[in-house]
């Protein structure tokens, strides 16, 4: 049986993540009540968080994905972002929750927020499961719903990869 996943030390357990996803869902519900929202996940890393979050929400939801990739090497983003997959529907007059796996320098989130705001949504809120506050470079960036503030370490699992590996790990582990 392949066992490469088993050697990754646990940083945030499945139970901790599950409880946090419920908390974030409650905050989103407090904000939007029964109004329809569009969840926009940035690919690829946010697909697991978005899937779990969407199942904790009870208002009508639309699901969109935005493919973004930052130029750079495996573990550092350069801040130059390109869109690799676009949305399938207009956002004007929609309530949007942008769903991010991790905010590191914040440069990706800044770019994506500007990109989405240009589509004139009614309201836009941002959720990120992980936030490396010490690494933040982008100015005036608000993350409305933060799961965990984490130190500046490289994490994998629960959607996050290292060279496309470990996305399916059910918990978040550290690689460094
Ligand atoms: P910025 O710096 O633009 O970066 O906020 C966000 C993107 O960088 C990647 N990233 C990570 N990916 N483990 C990962 O698997 C990490 O610890 C990590 N830190 C940053 C990720 O693609 C994210 O969307
Ligand atoms: Mg990545």
């Amino acid at each position: 049986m392949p066992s490469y996943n088993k050697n990754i030390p646990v940083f945030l357990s499945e139970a901790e993540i599950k409880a946090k996803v419920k908390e974030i869902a409650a905050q989103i519900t407090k904000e939007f009540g029964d109004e329809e929202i569009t969840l926009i996940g940035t690919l690829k890393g946010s697909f697991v968080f978005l899937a779990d979050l969407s199942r904790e929400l009870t208002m009508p939801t639309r699901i969109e994905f935005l493919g973004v990739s930052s130029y750079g090497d495996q573990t550092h983003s350069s801040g130059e972002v390109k869109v690799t997959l676009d949305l399938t529907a207009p956002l004007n007059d929609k309530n949007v929750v942008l769903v991010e796996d991790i905010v590191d320098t914040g440069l990706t989130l800044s770019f994506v927020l500007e990109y989405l705001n240009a589509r004139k949504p009614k309201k836009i809120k941002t959720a990120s499961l992980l936030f490396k506050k010490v690494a933040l470079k982008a100015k005036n960036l608000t993350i409305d719903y933060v799961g965990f503030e984490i130190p500046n370490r490289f994490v994998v699992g629960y959607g996050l990869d290292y060279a496309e590996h470990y996305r399916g790990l059910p918990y978040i582990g550290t690689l460094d």
Side-chain angles (χ1 to χ4, degrees):
M1 204 171 112
S3 61
Y4 82 136
N5 275 352
K6 300 214 171 81
N7 302 319
I8 306 287
V10 176
F11 181 69
L12 294 165
S13 70
E14 284 185 73
E16 286 174 280
I17 297 167
K18 194 175 167 84
K20 190 61 78 175
V21 171
K22 278 181 195 281
E23 270 178 42
I24 294 174
Q27 290 176 277
I28 293 173
T29 302
K30 199 171 168 207
E31 176 70 35
F32 293 103
D34 289 330
E35 281 185 63
E36 182 190 274
I37 64 171
T38 302
L39 296 173
I40 303 181
T42 51
L43 292 176
K44 301 172 190 172
S46 73
F47 79 105
V48 178
F49 176 39
L50 185 140
D52 282 350
L53 183 61
S54 68
R55 285 176 289 180
E56 295 294 341
L57 294 168
T58 52
M59 74 281 275
T61 53
R62 290 169 181 268
I63 307 292
E64 290 284 341
F65 289 102
L66 188 68
V68 288
S69 82
S70 62
Y71 300 91
D73 59 24
Q74 300 293 355
T75 57
H76 296 97
S77 73
S78 65
E80 257 188 273
V81 183
K82 65 177 167 177
V83 171
T84 56
L85 181 78
D86 209 348
L87 307 173
T88 65
L91 295 181
N92 55 306
D93 292 322
K94 298 288 187 199
N95 294 314
V96 169
V97 178
L98 175 62
V99 180
E100 275 280 10
D101 47 349
I102 186 164
V103 175
D104 184 350
T105 62
L107 297 169
T108 305
L109 182 62
S110 293
F111 171 88
V112 170
L113 267 178
E114 201 172 309
Y115 187 83
L116 297 180
N117 272 318
R119 278 151 186 76
K120 305 271 176 270
K122 182 174 164 190
K123 192 189 271 185
I124 183 160
K125 294 282 174 184
T126 50
S128 185
L129 184 64
L130 304 174
F131 178 33
K132 289 184 184 171
K133 199 174 190 173
V134 295
L136 188 68
K137 285 188 197 145
K139 306 270 178 261
N140 308 317
L141 191 67
T142 8
I143 311 170
D144 299 294
Y145 317 114
V146 174
F148 302 94
E149 275 183 23
I150 65 166
N152 200 2
R153 298 182 61 184
F154 199 79
V155 289
V156 294
Y158 201 73
L160 291 152
D161 74 305
Y162 174 69
E164 293 302 323
H165 285 153
Y166 311 116
R167 290 195 196 276
L169 199 65
Y171 59 89
I172 291 169
T174 45
L175 210 58
D176 48 14

